[in-house]
Amino acid sequence: MKWKLSLLIALVVGGIGGSAIKELPGFVIIAYDKTSVEMRLWVAVFFILLAFVLLFFTIKIGRSIFASAGRVKSWSSDRSAKRARRKTTQGMLAFTEGRWKASEDAMIGAAKNSDTKLINYLIAAQAAQHQNAEVRRDAYLRQAHLAEPDAKTAIRLTQAQLQLQHNQYEQALASLNELKAINPNHPYVLKLLGELYERLQDWTRMIELIPALKKQQVYQGEALQDYEKRGIAGLLSKQAELGQIEQLTDAWQNLPAQYRKTRCNILIYAELLIEFDQMDEAEALIRPLLKKQADSQVISLYGKVVSSDPAKQLTFLEAWQKGKNQTPVETFLTLGKIAYHAKLWGKARFFLERALQIDPNAEAYLYMAKTLQQLDDQDHANDCFRLGLEYAAIPNSEANLLALPDGSDDMVNSDVLPKFQKLESKG
């Protein structure tokens, strides 16, 4: 509508102005080389105005053409971007469903026109990893770096994680060390390093990493304790496998003091000392734990100790047991074993009877049988050997049924234990 009004005004102005210009006197001569053109002044003015009008419309048409091309290009780009987003979504869904090849193809197909190229290449790399295609995986990671150079940490982390999953430990170690040099306190880098050291059984470095893991709160509470326990147990067990008590002792002494005060670490070391027949050293380590926070694990381990003075060991444990309102079920078995090693057969029989009444098991029957042999009761000793073998051979729930003598409702009230009681009365 505006251009029609403008055209009408131009025609009116042109008509009025044209009459006035036509009456202008004078001529215009245009000469070029040997050629000249002569025309009236109003004719020259008319051609000049016509030239301006033609130039104006030429520019306007040109701008319209370029604007149309831009709109077509923008429309095409929008359509490609929508198609890329759709393919990216399809690739994510395929990845979630475990369709690795479909996910990889969709992600790479969308990467060229996607505004999330980094995500496309990282997901494609993980999909290739699941297909054991290491070459394609690494190629996609390089493309991700080219697409987003500033995302080096995220790309390297993904690479290290994939290498770790694929048991490429040397490559993973190189990637993680590079990341640690850039950001020494990155929590996920520290966590992956801890996992890698454990797989490599590099127990020393695994333990050295504990303060950083604690500071960055990578592991907390029981998770941190479990990590520490695995590292300490791995280090000490590795030294024990070498068969030299000196190496085991040195490894323990070289640990930081706070680790040597931890209950679970003390129990690990004490059990290894028992395997090396270092009974007095083990007893000295376990005894303070009994005084502080005794439980079934501590009491059972104390029962494995055959010290140079089992009578003293028994006196300590009896005094400890009398001061407790509730006694763990393992206590009577431990007392019976220590009394047996102290050659106090009557006490051994008494404590083992109590243990069998509370929790009949193969070990208790074995010690009872050996105790009865010392008391010259071979018949009942043989019964205990038989019951102990049955408990050792099959699960406890089935042993409870098979080991019951005919016509009895409870193993504790079987033909065996009443005769133990008769023996005790004779003693």
Side-chain angles (χ1 to χ4, degrees), residues 259-319:
Y259 300 147
R260 288 186 278 114
K261 295 177 181 178
T262 305
R263 173 182 173 278
C264 63
N265 297 336
I266 293 173
L267 292 176
I268 292 168
Y269 181 54
E271 190 160 8
L272 291 172
L273 286 176
I274 292 171
E275 292 180 9
F276 276 92
D277 202 29
Q278 304 296 307
M279 297 297 183
D280 290 338
E281 291 83 350
E283 196 273 340
L285 281 172
I286 301 172
R287 182 187 288 245
L289 297 181
L290 277 170
K291 295 178 180 179
K292 292 180 181 179
Q293 48 183 24
D295 58 15
S296 299
Q297 185 181 9
V298 176
I299 294 168
S300 296
L301 188 60
Y302 195 66
K304 294 180 180 180
V305 176
V306 184
S307 68
S308 58
D309 191 353
K312 181 180 178 182
Q313 191 179 351
L314 180 64
T315 301
F316 162 74
L317 192 59
E318 284 184 300

Side-chain angles (χ1 to χ4, degrees), residues 188-232:
Y188 195 53
V189 173
L190 295 174
K191 182 179 181 184
L192 290 180
L193 269 174
E195 293 179 7
L196 178 58
Y197 291 150
E198 186 169 6
R199 292 195 190 187
L200 293 172
Q201 297 186 0
D202 192 342
W203 310 115
T204 302
R205 289 188 180 181
M206 185 177 174
I207 295 169
E208 291 173 350
L209 203 61
I210 292 175
L213 292 171
K214 183 178 181 180
K215 183 178 180 181
Q216 300 304 319
Q217 298 184 344
V218 177
Y219 295 115
Q220 299 180 21
E222 291 184 4
L224 182 64
Q225 292 176 7
D226 289 342
Y227 179 90
E228 177 186 322
K229 181 179 178 180
R230 295 196 303 272
I232 301 294

Side-chain angles (χ1 to χ4, degrees), residues 300 303-304 330 333-334 336-337 341 352 355-356 359-371 384-385 387-389 391-392 396:
S300 296
K304 294 180 180 180
E330 292 79 8
L333 176 58
T334 297
K337 290 165 64 175
H341 294 305
L352 291 169
L356 286 169
D359 181 27
N361 58 74
E363 187 177 18
Y365 274 118
L366 174 62
Y367 271 93
M368 178 61 85
K370 292 164 71 174
T371 300
C384 287
F385 277 126
L387 291 170
L389 288 172
Y391 268 90
N396 285 347

